[in-house]
Amino acid sequence: MKIRGYRVFFLFLIVLACMTAAACAAEAAEKVYKIATVVKESSDPWFIRMEEGVRRFAADTGHEAYQKGPGSTDSAQQIQVLEELAAQDIDALCVVPIDPSACEPVLKKAMDKGIVVITHEATSQQNMDFNIEAFDNVGYGAYMMDELAKAMGESGRFVTMVSYLTNASHMEWAASAISRAQEKYPNIELIAEERVETQDNLEVAYERAKELLKKYPDLKGFLGTSSNDAPGAGKAIGELGLIGRSFSVGTSVTSVAAPYLDDGSTTAVTCWDPAEAGYAMNVLAVMVLDGRRDEIKSGLNLGVTGFENINADGKLINGQGWIVITKDNMAEYDF
Amino acid sequence: MIPGRLLKRNEFYVFATIAVFVAVIEFQSGQFFTNNNIADIARSMIVPGMLAMGLMMEIIAGGIDVSFPSIAMLSMYSSILIMRSMNYTGSAVFGFAVSAGIGLCLGIINGILVHWLKLPAFIITLGTGSICRGFTQAVLRSRNISILPPPVAALGKKYLFTVTNAESGLSSSLPVVFIFLIAVVIGTAFILRYTILGRGIYALGGDSVAAARAGFNILGTELFVYGFMGALSGFVGLTRTVLTGSCQPASFIGYEMTIIAAVVLGGTRISGGTGTVTGTLLGTLLLTMVSNSLILLGIPTYWSKFTVGVMIVIGTGMSAWQALKGKTKLTSVVAERDVNTGEGAGRCGNGS
């Protein structure tokens, strides 16, 4: 027993030494704004692209801007990352929350401490200075629906897919796509399931798509909101031999959707450039920190592609940054 | 088998739950007993089925493991990276060997730490799992890879057979990697049933001191179960990549709870010493069916998590209730049981 205690203590000492060394290394920086961008998941290609934007911002402006995120798309883990950052000496937090309502307490704590909070993909967030979207969610959802309707020949049944039912933006896009279908496409019908949860996982999206096709053999359209939805549905469409009969369209990126765009099982994917969004969040944070909050209103040019003429409604800001990726142009958007 | 004896077995209750569940799905949708649905469920069983076998062995041996999804993630991602950097075009066997090899090393580290530090395996594997995940994300900068090395991509397009539902025209193919599941299940059953090692695993979980006195090699047995799980995790990681058609490192995260639930659902006692291959397979089947049939059942998306939770509580509750009944019986008919030696891995927890 004594020996065991000694061994554990020894291990503990090593860990402590490592941590002290790491902390000392991080100390030597000059006084500039410290801005942390917290994303949903650090290994997601989408957020790796966002990190490119954050790094470009840091290089362009000299501010100490960096990106952090939990290892998995897990709200509890993300809140922990936020808690740790809020306890440190930082000036601003740029957050892409997994579950905005669950983040309220920690963001409130940060704001009470004087930290500027900018969010992205969280129009329902209460505790923030500004929320910035690449575009307005209603317009984007309608836009995705138009793309899907085009593929479906404006008739048939469809379903929407969301990562989690708690994801504000995904839910808004889906809602807007559904109302667009009801207003503009009388021959397109939504099935009873309406929204299927895919946990932002291609395998789950694939399994759900197959299950839906079992229940609705004539299901013609899948509208995906997370980046794995349209490719997952595309994989099912391809394997079931339904290319040309069923169509998947939705938010995604080339790194995920390329094989499916290539074989035609996914018709088109839409998105915005996360690098620009990450950059724009940081620009806003600095403007607030510099006391230029009043300048943030409709018509302002943030100097970021897609955000040259922003639309501000109180704390909610939109750009016009959507892009469509198809088989033909996917090489230009390699993220 | 005598019906009374059958009623005492936990497997029977899991099987009964499955039967009721199947009947409800069939009644609701008429889609359960279609050939393509059966093939889809078989396909969905591949990954959880293999992991459950390894985890069951660890739990029988008195351990637990929450690091295997991270081991799977690290092994699969690094083996894909290695193959990509070599522009490898040979056989996919190489990839599996690399992935399983990395997993084996990590699993053995788990085994050594568990044996050496004598801390609860839960804490050790929580730590090693976190290290593996952190390493994959921080050092390897893990991201989704959708362009796979040719042999891996090709294996994903090989099927044992394809069935087509005459009515709906939908077809479903059973991937060739289904064979892996069969091999792992048979291998696990063989080890547990017919080898001294298998006896040792039960004995260790029943009472480690007694097992050591009886002459079982405790270090060897522990290294085996953790090493086996590690190798299996690496192997399954690449299998998942083959099935998905892209390498998604994050897709394993949180998977440990599903597998633990499946194993416990199958009647494996979390305290060790008791568990069967059949039970674990049934437990995995039940969980797979539940998560893959909610749409067919017509459960609204908002209720799906609730339903999965209820199924887990019912299933595990049933096996716990069985264990409890077994215990009360044991005190009253202990003499009778001594005579009635039957079933090596009895439910009374005294191992084999």
Side-chain angles (χ1 to χ4, degrees):
Chain A
M1 281 301 158
K2 231 179 190 172
I3 291 175
R4 193 176 95 202
Y6 161 73
R7 281 171 176 170
V8 173
F9 179 69
F10 187 63
L11 274 183
F12 176 73
L13 271 187
I14 295 176
V15 172
L16 203 67
C18 293
M19 283 165 73
T20 318
C24 291
E27 199 65 30
E30 51 184 304
K31 183 65 195 163
V32 285
Y33 289 135
K34 283 186 190 162
I35 309 170
T37 302
V38 177
V39 296
K40 294 182 189 177
E41 200 239 294
S42 49
S43 70
D44 189 309
W46 181 263
F47 293 114
I48 289 171
R49 172 82 172 189
M50 184 173 282
E51 194 169 13
E52 287 172 22
V54 173
R55 285 194 178 152
R56 202 172 71 224
F57 173 83
D60 289 354
T61 61
H63 291 298
E64 198 182 311
Y66 57 95
Q67 182 171 310
K68 274 199 156 187
S72 67
T73 317
D74 174 352
S75 182
Q77 281 187 40
Q78 190 187 36
I79 290 167
Q80 204 184 331
V81 171
L82 288 168
E83 289 275 5
E84 282 164 14
L85 286 168
Q88 291 170 20
D89 170 32
I90 57 165
D91 299 298
L93 266 175
C94 299
V95 193
V96 191
I98 297 169
D99 182 351
S101 60
C103 289
E104 297 290 8
V106 61
L107 293 184
K108 180 168 192 322
K109 207 194 291 177
M111 289 183 73
D112 289 347
K113 227 187 118 186
I115 296 172
V116 170
V117 174
I118 308 289
T119 55
H120 175 55
E121 285 190 59
T123 45
S124 66
Q125 198 78 52
Q126 299 299 315
N127 290 294
M128 47 86 173
D129 290 286
F130 287 100
N131 177 75
I132 184 160
E133 301 293 318
F135 35 68
D136 73 297
N137 287 333
V138 175
Y140 181 64
Y143 177 75
M144 281 199 286
M145 190 65 227
D146 288 343
E147 287 290 319
L148 180 64
K150 221 192 300 172
M152 289 169 69
E154 302 196 6
S155 75
R157 300 210 270 186
F158 84 107
V159 70
T160 63
M161 294 173 140
V162 295
S163 60
Y164 294 93
L165 293 170
T166 48
N167 184 304
S169 294
H170 291 181
M171 291 296 274
E172 271 186 55
W173 301 341
S176 150
I178 290 167
S179 54
R180 176 70 151 207
Q182 282 159 352
E183 282 159 19
K184 198 176 164 192
Y185 305 106
N187 297 325
I188 290 182
E189 184 198 339
L190 182 69
I191 60 167
E193 271 71 13
E194 293 188 13
R195 290 166 208 194
V196 181
E197 242 183 0
T198 61
Q199 297 160 28
D200 210 348
N201 183 329
L202 201 150
E203 185 74 12
V204 176
Y206 161 78
E207 286 187 338
R208 290 302 152 268
K210 271 174 101 169
E211 202 183 338
L212 284 164
L213 283 163
K214 256 174 240 168
K215 195 168 176 186
Y216 304 96
D218 63 341
L219 190 60
K220 205 170 170 187
F222 292 89
L223 188 135
T225 57
S226 100
S227 62
N228 287 309
D229 296 348
K235 181 171 159 69
I237 290 169
E239 275 186 23
L240 293 170
L242 296 174
I243 294 177
R245 234 183 78 190
S246 269
F247 305 90
S248 73
V249 168
T251 307
S252 193
V253 285
T254 310
S255 62
V256 182
Y260 309 101
L261 286 170
D262 202 42
D263 73 10
S265 53
T266 295
T267 313
V269 295
T270 55
C271 65
W272 67 99
D273 191 336
E276 305 296 351
Y279 199 109
M281 272 198 285
N282 279 276
V283 170
L284 273 182
V286 169
M287 285 188 76
V288 176
L289 286 168
D290 284 344
R292 293 161 61 204
R293 193 187 286 261
D294 297 342
E295 294 173 33
I296 302 172
K297 51 187 173 216
S298 291
L300 176 74
N301 182 353
L302 291 183
V304 184
T305 314
F307 298 90
E308 291 97 342
N309 178 15
I310 61 164
N311 184 15
D313 173 16
K315 299 198 291 181
L316 303 178
I317 296 170
N318 300 314
Q320 312 82 16
W322 58 54
I323 49 179
V324 192
I325 304 174
T326 60
K327 191 181 173 177
D328 303 320
N329 71 351
M330 64 183 181
E332 294 164 39
Y333 299 102
D334 59 339
F335 58 87
Chain B
M1 223 182 246
I2 315 152
R5 189 156 185 81
L6 191 66
L7 281 176
K8 279 188 204 155
R9 293 184 62 118
N10 176 70
E11 285 92 331
F12 174 78
Y13 291 91
V14 183
F15 185 78
T17 316
I18 291 176
V20 170
F21 193 65
V22 164
V24 175
I25 301 170
E26 181 64 23
F27 179 74
Q28 278 280 325
S29 67
Q31 287 285 330
F32 188 84
F33 289 110
T34 51
N35 49 12
N36 60 322
N37 190 49
I38 304 281
D40 285 344
I41 289 178
R43 181 192 180 279
S44 302
M45 280 284 287
I46 298 172
V47 166
M50 286 198 275
L51 290 174
M53 288 297 125
L55 186 70
M56 173 192 66
M57 235 190 236
E58 286 180 322
I59 295 181
I60 293 176
I64 186 81
D65 195 340
V66 291
S67 68
F68 64 88
S70 307
I71 293 183
M73 170 181 175
L74 173 55
S75 319
M76 112 181 147
Y77 194 69
S78 25
S79 63
I80 293 283
L81 283 190
I82 290 169
M83 279 189 277
R84 266 164 59 112
S85 67
M86 290 167 61
N87 285 324
Y88 188 76
T89 51
S91 158
V93 175
F94 170 77
F96 280 98
V98 171
S99 192
I102 295 170
L104 177 68
C105 297
L106 296 167
I108 285 179
I109 291 174
N110 271 341
I112 291 172
L113 288 176
V114 166
H115 187 85
W116 184 53
L117 290 174
K118 302 250 179 310
L119 283 172
F122 178 78
I123 303 298
I124 304 256
T125 54
L126 201 62
T128 53
S130 184
I131 291 172
C132 291
R133 192 193 309 175
F135 185 85
T136 318
Q137 284 162 348
V139 181
L140 302 179
R141 303 281 306 161
S142 65
R143 51 183 296 171
N144 292 353
I145 299 176
S146 60
I147 310 294
L148 297 176
V152 178
L155 186 63
K157 295 196 166 61
K158 286 207 182 86
Y159 301 104
L160 286 178
F161 56 79
T162 300
V163 290
T164 307
N165 185 335
E167 220 171 292
S168 63
L170 293 178
S171 61
S172 193
S173 309
L174 194 59
V176 81
V177 291
F178 186 71
I179 294 172
F180 298 164
L181 173 63
I182 298 176
V184 168
V185 168
I186 293 177
T188 309
F190 180 81
I191 291 169
L192 287 181
R193 195 173 273 260
Y194 296 111
T195 64
I196 297 290
L197 180 64
R199 300 285 90 189
I201 291 171
Y202 279 108
L204 178 62
D207 185 337
S208 61
V209 178
R213 292 219 177 113
F216 286 111
N217 179 351
I218 304 298
L219 174 63
T221 312
E222 278 185 334
L223 286 186
F224 175 80
V225 291
Y226 287 97
F228 182 77
M229 186 61 189
L232 201 58
S233 307
F235 194 82
V236 170
L238 202 55
T239 307
R240 179 65 168 278
T241 301
V242 166
L243 284 171
T244 307
S246 79
C247 182
Q248 300 206 304
S251 71
F252 270 108
I253 292 170
Y255 212 52
E256 64 274 15
M257 288 308 157
T258 312
I259 307 297
I260 292 173
V263 172
V264 174
L265 202 53
T268 306
R269 199 83 61 75
I270 200 86
S271 51
T274 308
T276 63
V277 170
T278 321
T280 303
L281 266 185
L282 287 173
T284 315
L285 177 63
L286 181 56
L287 272 195
T288 308
M289 274 174 33
V290 170
S291 58
N292 281 329
S293 305
L294 295 175
I295 293 172
L296 286 181
L297 267 175
I299 308 254
T301 311
Y302 286 94
W303 284 90
S304 61
K305 281 207 180 81
F306 178 83
T307 315
V308 172
V310 167
M311 291 307 290
I312 292 177
V313 170
I314 290 178
T316 46
M318 233 172 209
S319 79
W321 179 59
Q322 275 305 107
L324 213 62
K325 257 184 19 183
K327 240 178 215 164
T328 35
K329 236 181 178 164
L330 181 71
T331 50
S332 58
V333 292
V334 71
E336 188 195 333
R337 253 203 83 91
D338 275 346
V339 183
N340 187 6
T341 40
E343 296 289 302
R347 68 180 81 259
C348 46
N350 59 354
S352 47

